Amino acid sequence: MSTKKSRAKNSYTFTLRNWLLIFLCVILMFALIWGGLLLARSISTTSYRVELVEGKCDEIAAKFGDPDFEEQVTKMSVEYGVQVIIFSYPDDRIDFDSILINTSPYTPSQSNVSIEVDDFYQDIVNTCILNMINTGKTKSCDVFQTNYYDASFIIYYNLLSFGEQNFFMYASVPLSMTEDALVILNQQLAIVSVVSFILVVLLSGIIAYVISKPIKQLSGEAARMSKGDYSVFFDGNGCDEVDILAESLNFSASQLKQTQTLRQDVIANVSHDLKTPLTLIKSYAELLKDFPDAPINKREDRLNLIISETDRMTRLVNEMLKLAKEESGIIPINKETFNLSELVTKVAEAFGVKETQGYVFEIQIQPNLFVSADKPQIEKVLNNYIQNAVNYTGRDLKVKIELKDINNKARFDVVDTGKGIAEDEREKIWDRYYRASKQYTRGSGTGLGLSIVKNILTRHGFIFGVNSVVGKGSDFYFEIPLIKTAENDEETD
């Protein structure tokens, strides 16, 4: 019960941790974006407003003298909040009594011009003219600080000409309008920030749940698998990375299931292989004990059987030790260049004694095929392959042994005429203690031979396998790259 509570707590903590991580990442991203916007706005708002006013006023100044000029000035004044006044400028001086155009972006109730306002305009215009004389620039746009309203204005002036008459164009817009816009923008940004924060909380929670759900499911299935339930199925729920993980776990589960089955089979087979000779040894030992005066020939038969069964157990244990060493990599691979043709001939001749038991060996060995491999281990492979053919060949007792050069590779084949191996069993025969179904064997093999062959050839990196037709027999083979030697070249010539 405590384990389930702990697992549930860990699952909740995992989801919460994902949510916090996503939430903090999104918040950090928004903070960087908003901070950048605020910084950029504080730096560029005033200069942008100055450039905007200057650009629009330049457009209006270029249209001076057009029939709809006054209409264009009024439209710009209303759209951009610009006060525009055009004075007559005879003899390089301002005539404040001669105003050609005076537009205001404000309503009539806000546009009453008092003496103080007139003084304000005269002071600013005179300052602009003095600046124009000092700098020689007939056009300018900049920010001015005034003492009348303790405020800043964007002031634009331009000296215009129409025919032989000169006119002075003055335009102004208070920066307070820009500041008011900033206040409104800040309020809107605050609202957007609050809404975004709520959405981030909700969306990050949803995303964390979606990400955590398949992982929690995988964790639950993995917990079942750790307890020995290999029938579990891992589902990634469509997420690519999780699907890859689920596929790997499913493969691991299937391999563990096969390993468990194999382990059970190994225990059963080893128990059987040891129990039978031990039972016989015990039985005949008891007979020798109970009947010490039995005839000598019977005593010798019983002792020979005990020795035979003891040898069989010794052989089984030795094969198991060999396989364990091969699989663990304790036995190193010591490659050397040797004549594989001679080695195959030697091993095949050793099996010649079987001919006295009715076996027929058909041997075809191409001479002087040199290879680089661990010679003692390859000899084990040859012995196991041929012994396997002897054990499983058909009633005609025929075994074919062949070695030849195919595509610059030494190809060894040993063919029997036995029952053959079904296609769905060909991969399993390389497992220890596995025997193909409905196979007739006349030998007393340990069930480890082909497993040892697979391990040796796999460690060498050589190609091997079996071709089999049910009812006709099997062909076990391997291929080793050839090594060119002077003796080999002479044979080729």
Side-chain angles (χ1 to χ4, degrees):
M1 188 69 177
S2 59
T3 304
K4 290 184 178 179
K5 288 183 178 179
S6 176
R7 191 176 296 122
K9 181 180 179 181
N10 291 336
S11 175
Y12 172 76
T13 304
F14 178 71
T15 304
L16 180 62
R17 187 165 59 247
N18 283 340
W19 174 78
L20 285 174
L21 182 61
I22 297 172
F23 175 74
L24 290 175
C25 288
V26 176
I27 288 297
L28 178 61
M29 181 182 68
F30 273 104
L32 291 174
I33 293 174
W34 290 335
L37 288 175
L38 291 173
L39 180 62
R41 189 181 64 188
S42 64
I43 294 174
S44 62
T45 297
T46 300
S47 59
Y48 171 76
R49 188 70 176 170
V50 171
E51 291 177 1
L52 179 64
V53 171
E54 183 177 15
K56 294 300 176 182
C57 289
D58 284 343
E59 291 179 10
I60 292 298
K63 297 178 181 179
F64 184 66
D66 290 355
D68 60 345
F69 176 72
E70 187 171 352
E71 181 181 348
Q72 293 289 334
V73 172
T74 302
K75 181 179 178 181
M76 183 201 70
S77 177
V78 173
E79 286 183 1
Y80 296 97
V82 182
Q83 175 82 34
V84 179
I85 305 175
I86 299 180
F87 300 94
S88 177
Y89 191 67
D91 302 326
D92 294 335
R93 64 182 180 83
I94 287 290
D95 185 357
F96 289 104
D97 295 326
S98 177
I99 299 176
L100 182 64
I101 292 177
N102 184 0
T103 64
S104 173
Y106 309 110
T107 59
S109 61
Q110 296 174 316
S111 60
N112 296 324
V113 180
S114 63
I115 291 297
E116 186 178 10
V117 173
D118 289 340
D119 291 342
F120 165 73
Y121 284 138
Q122 290 182 26
D123 185 28
I124 294 296
V125 170
N126 286 329
T127 301
C128 291
I129 292 175
L130 182 62
N131 183 67
M132 182 175 66
I133 293 172
N134 291 334
T135 62
K137 295 180 180 180
T138 59
K139 187 195 79 164
S140 179
C141 186
D142 209 341
V143 177
F144 283 82
Q145 179 72 31
T146 67
N147 296 322
Y148 282 90
Y149 304 107
D150 192 22
S152 297
F153 287 79
I154 299 174
I155 304 298
Y156 172 91
Y157 68 82
N158 196 351
L159 188 61
L160 306 178
S161 298
F162 186 73
E164 296 181 356
Q165 298 182 12
N166 294 328
F167 296 89
F168 186 85
M169 178 179 173
Y170 163 86
S172 66
V173 58
L175 281 178
S176 60
M177 294 180 62
T178 303
E179 293 171 355
D180 291 341
L182 289 177
V183 171
I184 295 173
L185 191 58
N186 287 335
Q187 292 174 348
Q188 293 175 345
L189 185 59
I191 295 172
V192 171
S193 299
V194 172
V195 174
S196 299
F197 179 81
I198 295 173
L199 290 176
V200 165
V201 172
L202 294 176
L203 290 176
S204 59
I206 294 172
I207 294 172
Y209 174 77
V210 171
I211 293 175
S212 302
K213 183 179 178 181
I215 297 177
K216 289 191 292 184
Q217 289 177 346
L218 293 181
S219 177
E221 298 299 319
R224 286 176 54 195
M225 187 174 70
S226 67
K227 295 179 179 179
D229 182 3
Y230 302 122
S231 63
V232 295
F233 178 76
F234 296 91
D235 185 6
N237 290 328
C239 181
D240 290 344
E241 289 77 8
V242 182
D243 280 340
I244 294 172
L245 175 60
E247 184 178 346
S248 299
L249 290 172
N250 283 324
F251 177 76
S252 299
S254 65
Q255 292 297 105
L256 287 172
K257 187 175 182 180
Q258 291 179 11
T259 302
Q260 184 186 43
T261 303
L262 179 60
R263 182 176 59 189
Q264 293 171 348
D265 292 343
V266 168
I267 293 173
N269 286 317
V270 170
S271 299
H272 177 267
D273 287 346
L274 291 177
K275 183 179 180 180
T276 300
L278 285 173
T279 301
L280 290 172
I281 291 171
K282 181 181 179 182
S283 299
Y284 282 102
E286 288 176 348
L287 285 173
L288 291 173
K289 178 182 178 182
D290 293 339
F291 301 98
D293 298 329
I296 294 177
N297 60 337
K298 288 187 177 182
R299 288 169 57 86
E300 288 182 353
D301 289 342
R302 291 165 185 170
L303 288 172
N304 287 335
L305 193 143
I306 290 174
I307 294 172
S308 174
E309 294 300 324
T310 303
D311 290 341
R312 179 182 170 190
M313 285 194 300
T314 302
R315 189 167 59 254
L316 174 62
V317 172
N318 288 336
E319 290 294 322
M320 292 176 64
L321 289 174
K322 287 179 184 177
L323 180 59
K325 290 180 180 179
E326 293 285 353
E327 290 181 341
S328 65
I330 294 176
I331 302 177
I333 296 177
N334 298 315
K335 288 189 175 183
E336 59 178 301
T337 300
F338 61 93
N339 192 327
L340 181 60
S341 303
E342 291 181 355
L343 181 61
V344 173
T345 301
K346 171 188 170 184
V347 174
E349 288 176 352
F351 278 89
V353 69
K354 294 288 184 179
E355 293 181 349
T356 61
Q357 302 174 15
Y359 285 91
V360 179
F361 289 93
E362 181 184 343
I363 302 174
Q364 297 178 6
I365 300 175
Q366 184 174 336
N368 297 325
L369 297 183
F370 286 82
V371 297
S372 176
D374 190 311
K375 186 176 180 180
Q377 293 196 36
I378 296 302
E379 187 172 355
K380 289 181 188 177
V381 172
L382 295 171
N383 276 295
N384 283 329
Y385 260 178
I386 298 174
Q387 184 62 57
N388 184 76
V390 168
N391 289 342
Y392 290 98
T393 195
R395 298 187 183 278
D396 58 4
L397 302 182
K398 289 183 178 180
V399 175
K400 180 179 180 180
I401 300 172
E402 186 177 23
L403 178 68
K404 55 187 175 181
D405 178 359
I406 298 181
N407 297 325
N408 205 31
K409 290 182 180 179
R411 163 105 178 196
F412 174 81
D413 293 84
V414 57
V415 183
D416 64 63
T417 58
K419 297 286 188 179
I421 305 169
E423 186 174 355
D424 59 344
E425 293 185 313
R426 290 175 193 169
E427 289 298 322
K428 301 176 184 177
I429 61 172
W430 306 99
D431 296 335
R432 64 180 74 181
Y433 290 109
Y434 185 85
R435 287 187 175 92
S437 60
K438 299 181 181 180
Q439 282 277 47
Y440 169 75
T441 175
R442 57 182 55 82
S444 56
T446 62
L448 299 173
L450 292 181
S451 183
I452 293 173
V453 166
K454 174 185 176 182
N455 190 271
I456 292 174
L457 295 177
T458 300
R459 291 180 65 201
H460 277 79
F462 297 153
I463 297 173
F464 66 97
V466 58
N467 298 316
S468 185
V469 178
V470 176
K472 292 186 177 181
S474 303
D475 173 9
F476 285 85
Y477 67 90
F478 66 79
E479 296 179 356
I480 305 178
L482 287 172
I483 300 295
K484 289 293 183 180
T485 65
E487 191 173 350
N488 197 324
D489 291 338
E490 289 176 5
E491 181 69 25
T492 304
D493 294 338

